[in-house]
Amino acid sequence: MEDFRCTNSILSKSKTPTDGLISKTWIEQKNVEDSVEKCYSFFKNLLDIESDVAQFLSKCQDPDGGFSGGPGQKPHLAPTYAAVNALCILGTDEAFNVIDRASLQRFLLSMHQPDGSFTMHLGGEVDIRGTYCAASAARLTNITTKDMFDGTAEWIVRCQTYEGGFGGIPGMEAHGGYAFCALAALVLIDRVHLCDIKGLLMSYEGGFQGRTNKLVDGCYSFWQGGSFPLVHMILTKQGEDFVSAERWLFHQEALQEYIMICCQHPHGGLLDKPGKPRDFYHTCYCLSGLSVAQHFSEGRLSQEYILGSATNQLNMLHPVFNISIEAVQLAQNYFSRADVSSGETSCNGPKK
Ligand SMILES: [Zn+2]
């Protein structure tokens, strides 16, 4: 909320430059900007966005566990992942307490199939997104059980194709979104050694398209770009000497150029490629990819590559969860103090 362009103190200095000449247009422009600021300041004090979002998400939680896309709908792993992430981004006690961890744990266990895969919802399709969504929600809220991911790593590895990427299920065509889900899920359940990491690296073709022979798309800035910090971490752990101590294994400035020049809508928001409409999905994943391209971090080494003005700089992301590092630490600290197996009402948060 504090980062709206019209209230950003750094930007306000460069607002409505006069070049030494006060014109009628300049005065009109300044009047418009001043009234936008006044409206924003007035409404800002009336809204409590954090609490409103937490309350709305509490209505999307199913009494039997998990979250649905809207109140009264069936729980599903994708909105469960999104809701848990959103509540952890809010990071308030109210937001954390929305998550009923005992029923969430039951929901995740009920989606787990005998072959290690996860269905997206009760009676629904199996695909590799489910394994990532389940692993991410379980790890963030500290509700992983000994058998929750039995056979899952072995099932994920069966989804790796001859191209080195991963398909949605075994035998399916490789795709950037599925590759990220596979790799991040393997990191979350600590079984990355089972996949062919060099084969995966070979499958990147220069641009960030979703699949071989498809066009570039802004959202793959994260699905493909976000895989690089994971690949880097794995290869560094394996002692590979070709990984850099300063950069990811892709052209970080080129990706920033594509996102900022080609994927921004003139009226705000981001998109797939020029000519396509803006939407929340592409806005989220273009920005996530931009953050990955701006920040290199491996152990104690870190380096920033901010293309253009310093005001372009975004917060650094945790590449596995796709929320800020601070939000991950806050959530994991919060939920590490709460015991989900005790059956007490404290399943909703740590004891005070
Ligand atoms: Zn897209």
Side-chain angles (χ1 to χ4, degrees):
M1 286 291 285
E2 299 305 322
D3 296 332
F4 269 71
R5 285 177 63 83
C6 63
T7 55
N8 184 318
S9 56
I10 301 169
L11 287 176
S12 68
K13 282 183 200 137
S14 60
K15 203 164 57 181
T16 57
T18 63
D19 292 330
L21 187 71
I22 306 281
S23 66
K24 199 169 168 67
T25 321
W26 181 85
I27 293 167
E28 288 301 317
Q29 175 68 21
K30 189 154 182 346
N31 284 341
V32 169
E33 296 200 4
D34 287 348
S35 34
V36 168
E37 259 182 59
K38 272 189 210 141
C39 289
Y40 171 73
S41 307
F42 176 76
F43 283 108
K44 193 177 76 166
N45 297 329
L46 296 180
L47 297 172
D48 184 356
I49 298 263
E50 286 171 1
S51 183
D52 288 352
V53 171
Q55 291 292 321
F56 172 75
L57 290 174
S58 75
K59 295 192 177 81
C60 300
Q61 187 165 221
D62 191 88
D64 293 329
F67 290 81
S68 51
Q73 297 175 19
K74 294 278 175 213
H76 185 287
L77 275 174
T80 295
Y81 160 76
V84 167
N85 267 13
L87 290 162
C88 292
I89 288 170
L90 293 175
T92 60
D93 277 13
E94 182 189 17
F96 287 141
N97 286 336
V98 165
I99 302 171
D100 181 341
R101 298 163 69 234
S103 70
L104 176 61
Q105 188 181 58
R106 285 196 300 275
F107 173 67
L108 297 183
L109 286 168
S110 70
M111 297 298 107
H112 185 222
Q113 302 302 300
D115 66 357
S117 64
F118 282 76
T119 53
M120 297 303 290
H121 59 96
L122 188 63
E125 77 280 16
V126 159
D127 84 44
I128 209 161
R129 290 173 302 153
T131 60
Y132 168 62
C133 292
S136 176
R139 287 298 302 272
L140 262 183
T141 57
N142 188 30
I143 56 166
T144 309
T145 64
K146 207 163 68 61
D147 50 1
M148 188 177 277
F149 296 103
D150 269 359
T152 300
E154 290 76 8
W155 182 83
I156 293 172
V157 169
R158 286 174 52 213
C159 298
Q160 190 162 24
T161 77
Y162 71 95
E163 289 184 291
F166 289 79
I169 52 173
M172 205 179 187
E173 181 187 14
H175 176 283
Y178 294 141
F180 172 83
C181 288
L183 196 57
L186 288 171
V187 170
L188 284 164
I189 60 178
D190 202 15
R191 304 292 293 281
V192 280
H193 60 278
L194 292 182
C195 81
D196 176 4
I197 193 73
K198 283 189 185 162
L200 174 69
L201 199 58
M202 292 297 285
S203 72
Y204 293 119
E205 289 192 345
F208 288 124
Q209 73 269 56
R211 285 175 277 161
T212 304
N213 295 326
K214 298 288 277 189
L215 297 174
V216 68
D217 174 349
C219 66
Y220 292 103
S221 304
F222 178 75
W223 296 124
Q224 304 281 33
S227 295
F228 281 91
L230 307 179
V231 168
H232 210 100
M233 177 191 74
I234 296 162
L235 291 175
T236 304
K237 269 193 192 156
Q238 291 177 351
E240 296 293 347
D241 53 12
F242 67 89
V243 289
S244 160
E246 295 180 343
R247 306 183 66 90
W248 304 131
L249 293 164
F250 71 95
H251 196 317
Q252 292 170 243
E253 290 83 354
L255 182 61
Q256 292 180 54
E257 273 180 16
Y258 177 69
I259 296 168
M260 289 195 286
I261 297 168
C262 303
C263 297
Q264 292 201 75
H265 192 278
H267 299 301
L270 291 103
L271 34 95
D272 164 347
K273 57 176 73 59
K276 295 272 184 169
R278 57 188 167 159
D279 58 61
F280 287 130
Y281 167 80
H282 285 91
T283 300
C284 170
Y285 288 104
C286 284
L287 289 175
S288 301
L290 186 60
S291 170
V292 171
Q294 288 179 340
H295 303 278
F296 171 87
S297 174
E298 177 60 60
R300 271 185 255 152
L301 302 169
S302 65
Q303 199 76 250
E304 283 169 359
Y305 302 92
I306 315 298
L307 198 75
S309 156
T311 56
N312 290 338
Q313 181 166 348
L314 302 180
N315 286 339
M316 189 161 85
L317 285 181
H318 190 300
V320 171
F321 298 104
N322 190 19
I323 61 178
S324 74
I325 306 246
E326 294 77 34
V328 172
Q329 284 168 346
L330 194 65
Q332 289 188 327
N333 280 340
Y334 188 90
F335 292 120
S336 70
R337 290 178 275 136
D339 179 10
V340 74
S341 58
S342 68
E344 294 178 49
T345 49
S346 62
C347 285
N348 275 340
K351 297 160 192 82
K352 297 272 160 43

